[in-house]
Amino acid sequence: MEKILTIVIPVYKVEQYIRQCLDSVILDEEKMKCLEVIIVNDGTPDQSGIIAHEYESKHPQSIKVIDKENGGHGSAWNVGLKHANGKYIRFLDSDDWLSNLSSFIEELKNRDEDLIFTHLAKHDVRNQSSSVVKINNIQYHQVYSTTSFSYVPTGNQYYMYGFWYCTYKKDIFQEEQPLFAEKVFYDDAILFLAPYILGKTMYFLDTTLYNYRIGHSGQSVNVNVERKHAWDYVKVSKSLIEFANRHPNLNKVQSEQRDDFLYHYMKNRFSLFSQLSYQEFRTIIDDFLPYIKNNAPYIKSSPKVKFYRAVPSYLAWYCIKLFNKYILKIK
């Protein structure tokens, strides 16, 4: 039977969470025939890999474990994408889990759009709260075209193309492999841009699929981890610009969307950089600003970036630090 959906799960040091993740992709026998689960053991030193093989032995027709040397999150996703056989592909981090998967597969049997969107459930382990995040101002069960779709009415939810919300037709990535940056944090940022440019059609379902666990100390979105890996943001940002420059043939709407996304993404990165020490800030700014100017002149400058360019770097860094510490708190 043709595999309708491939789910790629990278595994590294998730012994505490992996059973909940894998249990969420175990369905009844008929549904399992439609499902392919590729678990990429990225050289994990704990028991996660052993647990993954346990699930493979119980469901050998649907679950496959690929063992590899540690290469990072992006490397694991690239391996999973390369070996995927499903019509659609879904990326799932192994400290998260899915819900409503059985009904979702039934829906996919009748769909042929490039991008299928669902809701995201966030679960904060710090206060045990949960909430569902939906994409705003869209019509469910309606086909949209990426050549005319604007995410401005959604409230600039440019992350809507990311793996929390989106399931992708595998073939749209065929010519782009390896898709993800490797040996860096934040490699999934390419999914905020690539699906919109590579895909043609979009479809929205009024159902929650992805469950995202937030608040635990090891997460890459932890502010201390972000500061530590600031240079990874630089590398990933450059890879986004390189991807955009490889796909210049966009219509006006798509170009505006690309530019708007890159503007918001870069603006948020510069806000992070201004929280670093002065020497780190100066080194990154001296590298990154000329790169953007030379390779992505279509990205407008944020007020902060204009400020960096207009005044001496130390004064700019100090003023932005004060702005972040006092003015933003008042706002």
Side-chain angles (χ1 to χ4, degrees), residues 238 240-249 258 291 294-298:
K238 289 180 178 179
L240 290 173
I241 292 171
E242 290 168 4
F243 177 88
N245 290 345
R246 291 199 306 269
H247 299 85
N249 299 321
R258 174 203 64 192
Y291 181 88
N294 294 330
N295 294 279
Y298 46 82

Side-chain angles (χ1 to χ4, degrees), residues 85-276:
N85 296 300
K87 179 180 179 181
Y88 286 96
I89 187 166
R90 182 94 206 184
F91 298 100
L92 171 62
D93 278 344
S94 45
D95 53 352
D96 300 328
W97 70 97
L98 301 180
S99 55
N100 302 310
L101 180 57
S102 182
S103 59
F104 181 67
I105 289 177
E106 278 301 307
E107 186 69 42
L108 289 184
K109 290 179 180 179
N110 302 311
R111 304 261 49 93
D112 197 44
E113 291 77 26
D114 293 329
L115 309 173
I116 309 294
F117 295 88
T118 48
H119 309 323
L120 164 69
K122 289 185 175 182
H123 304 276
D124 194 326
V125 301
R126 294 165 297 192
N127 55 19
Q128 301 301 309
S129 64
S130 298
S131 61
V132 174
V133 185
K134 301 181 180 182
I135 299 168
N136 301 321
N137 298 323
I138 52 87
Q139 295 294 318
Y140 297 114
H141 310 294
Q142 177 177 320
V143 178
Y144 290 83
S145 170
T146 57
T147 58
S148 58
F149 183 84
S150 170
Y151 62 69
V152 174
T154 71
N156 290 321
Q157 289 177 277
Y158 61 78
Y159 46 79
M160 62 183 278
Y161 299 99
F163 69 100
W164 305 300
Y165 298 92
C166 197
T167 300
Y168 318 94
K169 188 179 283 186
K170 184 198 64 178
D171 287 350
I172 70 172
F173 298 134
Q174 201 65 41
E175 303 300 320
E176 299 294 332
Q177 299 186 42
L179 179 66
F180 301 98
E182 299 192 4
K183 297 184 178 179
V184 294
F185 278 44
Y186 320 115
D187 50 87
D188 62 294
I190 189 64
L191 293 177
F192 299 157
L193 180 65
Y196 177 75
I197 290 179
L198 299 175
K200 302 300 182 185
T201 52
M202 310 161 62
Y203 192 78
F204 294 83
L205 291 174
D206 188 12
T207 188
T208 301
L209 186 65
Y210 200 100
N211 293 271
Y212 178 37
R213 190 192 314 271
I214 60 175
H216 59 88
S217 59
Q219 279 188 306
S220 61
V221 292
N222 178 289
V223 64
N224 294 321
V225 176
E226 287 185 316
R227 290 170 181 164
K228 181 180 178 181
H229 293 275
W231 272 106
D232 286 351
Y233 272 128
V234 175
K235 294 174 184 177
V236 168
S237 297
K238 289 180 178 179
S239 73
L240 290 173
I241 292 171
E242 290 168 4
F243 177 88
N245 290 345
R246 291 199 306 269
H247 299 85
N249 299 321
L250 307 177
N251 66 19
K252 182 180 178 182
V253 172
Q254 289 175 304
S255 296
E256 289 174 350
Q257 296 296 99
R258 174 203 64 192
D259 298 352
D260 197 36
F261 157 68
L262 289 174
Y263 166 75
H264 281 91
Y265 188 83
M266 301 303 167
K267 182 180 72 172
N268 290 338
R269 302 294 77 78
F270 278 103
S271 294
L272 169 68
F273 300 153
S274 65
Q275 299 176 40
L276 303 173

